[in-house]
Amino acid sequence: MSSSSSIGICTMKPSCRILISYKGSSIFGVSPHRTNPSVARNLSKSQFKSIYCRSYSSSQILGHKGSVGPSRRAFCVSDQGWSQYGSISSICCVHNLKGSKRGILVIPRIASDTRNQSTSVGAHVNEKGFERIYVQGGLNVKPLVIERIETGLGVVEEREDRVEDDNLSVHTESFTGLNERKDERELSEIEKEAWKLLRSAVVNYCGAPVGTVAANDPADKQPLNYDQVFIRDFIPSALAFLLKGEGEIVKNFLLHTLQLQSWEKTVDCHSPGQGLMPASFKVRSVPLDGSDGAFEEVLDPDFGESAIGRVAPVDSGLWWIILLRAYGKLTGDYSLQERVDVQTGMRLILNLCLSDGFDMFPSLLVTDGSCMIDRRMGIHGHPLEIQALFFSALRCSREMLIVNDGTKKLAAAINNRLSALSFHIREYYWVDMSKINEIYRYKTEEYSTNAINKFNIYPDQIPSWLMDWIPETGGYLIGNLQPAHMDFRFFTLGNLWAIVSSLGTQQQNEGILSLIEKKWDDLVGHMPMKICYPALESEEWRIITGSDPKNTPLFFFCSPWSYHNGGSWPTLLWQFTLACIKMGKPDLARRAVDLAEERISADQWPEYYDTRSGRFIGKQARLFQTWTIAGYLTSKMLLEKPEMASQLFWEEDYELLEMCVCALNKSGRKKCSRSSSRS
Ligand code: GLC
């Protein structure tokens, strides 16, 4: 869309106006501290909208045309013109009936920017200065009042006054270098098709790309929520675009999802933590109240309140942080992660993850279905996937967090958690032949701090399949660990991400790849890769999944190995590729990519495959699944540009190891089993 074709007015989401007040600032001529919060909260959607929309006229808008910065695409109201409304942070697009865009306005602060505003110029604003945030809700959203934001670690958010004319617009200059990179070779027909499909999955908001839909199957009459932009699904799309030198969509995605983070989310009468990122969002067009035939685009997030089973999207925030780092690494544009609003968003996620609870373990305690496996599959508690993403997000934050007086406690908490978490996972999640034998001979009911069998694991828990399956060499990290419970299933994403982030030791990481190689037929089969191995069977399936027919069990009258229950998910190819490149085994990744290439396009890019070896297109699999397409493209590009791949993984951090050794020594432990990895 050309900039000249747009004019703009108004809001982030008509159904969820955001009204944010600060001491001393005035909104619509009403001083917020004189406004009774309940009045603000009780304004109806239309009352609110009418106040809001009356506060500027089209002539005002057009009158400020000249103030649009070079990187803006719209007629915007100048910052100066808006300073009196400085506490409003919202965006919308207005279209006429025919759908041609009449305009957009990008008001120079996205929602989370409001967290960073101050009425005092250039100063940090303390807790008193930052009074309240009121969110006037519509639809699912109810008013939000935030007295202040605390980090949960005794750190109160400080706010800076920072005027950024084009917070939401993309600095295309940053990508100049990347765009100049030319593809060295002619793309294959499959790659060309994949790029075409990926581009057709792009979702625009206010004329700018902000993400990709989960699936884009024209024949699908019941897309459910597959027509939404899922945070986790967008990661391979983002990487494909970044590796191709196209950063705009990724930057927009990061900033818009950041906006959504500060919305209040409710399931019934309960609100989860403020830092929660949505599982997905949709761009909707809604008629503009009181206007003739005009409509506006709004972002409508799902924080789990609509998701099947009301699952909490714990992984979204972790992926968001991981992508933020990747964006900086692959574009060289570190200014995004340095922005105050982005730093604040990151801190909110971290606060949510690092807040004190009842936990005895450093691993993150979550409910079932809180990640890629977003249905009940017995992965509540401390599932490996979440731990690996948590660890990665902490490593990213360790690099990106700007440390100052306000964040030094958080920085220390990140370091402590990193070393405790890696110790915990390396020590207690790892299994190989000798560890299983050790568990097999465990004594139980040990009481004391010196217990060997700390979690009171009963040896009978070792499943019979594992005894035969575990190779002489190599091993893996188990799926979950809780008191008296080890989930011995192999979960692919968690294991791959443990390699990528160096959550495992070098030896363990090598062991995981070695096991995948040895168990190729089980874990890769006809289509990379199994989401988990093996599938749950009969009674276990009934109890663990709650008799979920989509997660079809290994049952004599069912076609077994389906969907999350041992199905094969081609999107995992990019994570496998990254892990192989890191471990110096690109040929192994090539083997998997070649295998996928044999049929993935002919099969129309399915979401997942069924059967033990992944031979059939999944019973209910979507076709033209975007992360299947993007995962394939990302794998191809990572293999072609290993130097770019190396920006996306981490080596061992010896400083963290040192901290762990010291902590264990202090607590009287004799040895740290990881000290060997130093060599
Ligand atoms: C399924 C997957 C989930 C994915 C979503 C959209 O629910 O389990 O991981 O994000 O589909 O593709």
Side-chain angles (χ1 to χ4, degrees), residues 163-187:
V163 176
E164 292 193 44
D165 275 2
D166 47 2
N167 270 353
L168 257 182
S169 55
V170 173
H171 299 266
T172 39
E173 323 79 74
S174 321
F175 308 115
T176 317
L178 279 173
N179 286 326
E180 276 164 5
R181 271 200 312 266
K182 294 273 178 289
D183 285 324
E184 288 98 26
R185 63 168 177 88
E186 173 79 7
L187 295 179

Side-chain angles (χ1 to χ4, degrees), residues 299-462:
L299 289 180
D300 188 8
D302 178 7
F303 291 95
E305 75 276 12
S306 307
I308 296 166
R310 304 292 182 265
V311 283
V314 178
D315 64 341
S316 291
L318 305 174
W319 278 122
W320 186 89
I321 291 179
I322 292 167
L323 183 60
L324 179 65
R325 173 188 181 266
Y327 171 87
K329 287 276 181 185
L330 294 180
T331 62
D333 172 15
Y334 291 98
S335 63
L336 184 69
Q337 55 184 254
E338 285 160 8
R339 277 171 52 150
V340 181
D341 55 339
V342 172
Q343 286 279 317
T344 306
M346 182 166 67
R347 278 189 274 167
L348 287 176
I349 299 170
L350 292 169
N351 292 340
L352 209 50
C353 297
L354 295 171
S355 61
D356 293 334
F358 292 106
D359 302 340
M360 298 297 288
F361 308 151
S363 41
L364 196 59
L365 181 64
V366 295
T367 50
D368 216 339
S370 58
C371 51
M372 179 185 179
I373 296 179
D374 52 0
R375 297 162 85 95
R376 187 171 152 191
M377 262 288 282
I379 55 163
H380 53 281
H382 303 94
L384 178 68
E385 174 173 336
I386 287 289
Q387 311 317 321
L389 294 178
F390 180 35
F391 185 77
S392 310
L394 289 176
R395 287 205 70 172
C396 294
S397 307
R398 183 163 145 83
E399 289 174 29
M400 296 189 294
L401 187 76
I402 296 172
V403 182
N404 53 35
D405 283 351
T407 60
K408 63 182 182 213
K409 280 190 187 157
L410 181 60
I414 291 171
N415 287 339
N416 290 341
R417 195 62 171 259
L418 272 169
S419 66
L421 182 61
S422 73
F423 175 79
H424 185 80
I425 300 289
R426 291 169 179 200
E427 192 81 1
Y428 306 124
Y429 278 61
W430 177 254
V431 290
D432 55 14
M433 179 75 181
S434 75
K435 183 67 189 285
I436 293 171
N437 205 157
E438 192 185 318
I439 298 169
Y440 182 72
R441 289 167 53 77
Y442 265 168
K443 288 188 180 53
T444 57
E445 321 297 337
E446 290 177 286
Y447 175 83
S448 84
T449 49
N450 297 327
I452 306 278
N453 180 6
K454 286 198 179 62
F455 305 101
N456 201 31
I457 305 297
Y458 297 104
D460 280 357
Q461 251 178 65
I462 302 173

Side-chain angles (χ1 to χ4, degrees), residues 196-212:
K196 206 168 143 208
L197 291 170
L198 182 59
R199 292 196 191 286
S200 66
V202 167
V203 172
N204 286 303
Y205 175 61
C206 298
V210 290
T212 48

Side-chain angles (χ1 to χ4, degrees), residues 583-638:
M583 301 309 292
K585 292 195 157 198
D587 288 344
L588 202 58
R590 266 187 212 106
R591 201 174 137 198
V593 173
D594 291 349
L595 193 65
E597 241 168 15
E598 278 175 25
R599 51 185 298 207
I600 201 165
S601 150
D603 289 348
Q604 301 187 311
W605 310 92
E607 180 187 15
Y608 63 94
Y609 286 77
D610 285 354
T611 79
R612 190 181 184 112
S613 61
R615 286 189 68 194
F616 285 16
I617 297 171
K619 207 180 245 174
Q620 293 187 46
R622 277 355 197 234
L623 299 180
F624 303 104
Q625 181 81 18
T626 306
W627 68 354
T628 298
I629 299 162
Y632 163 75
L633 285 173
T634 299
S635 303
K636 293 289 277 191
M637 285 188 283
L638 289 174

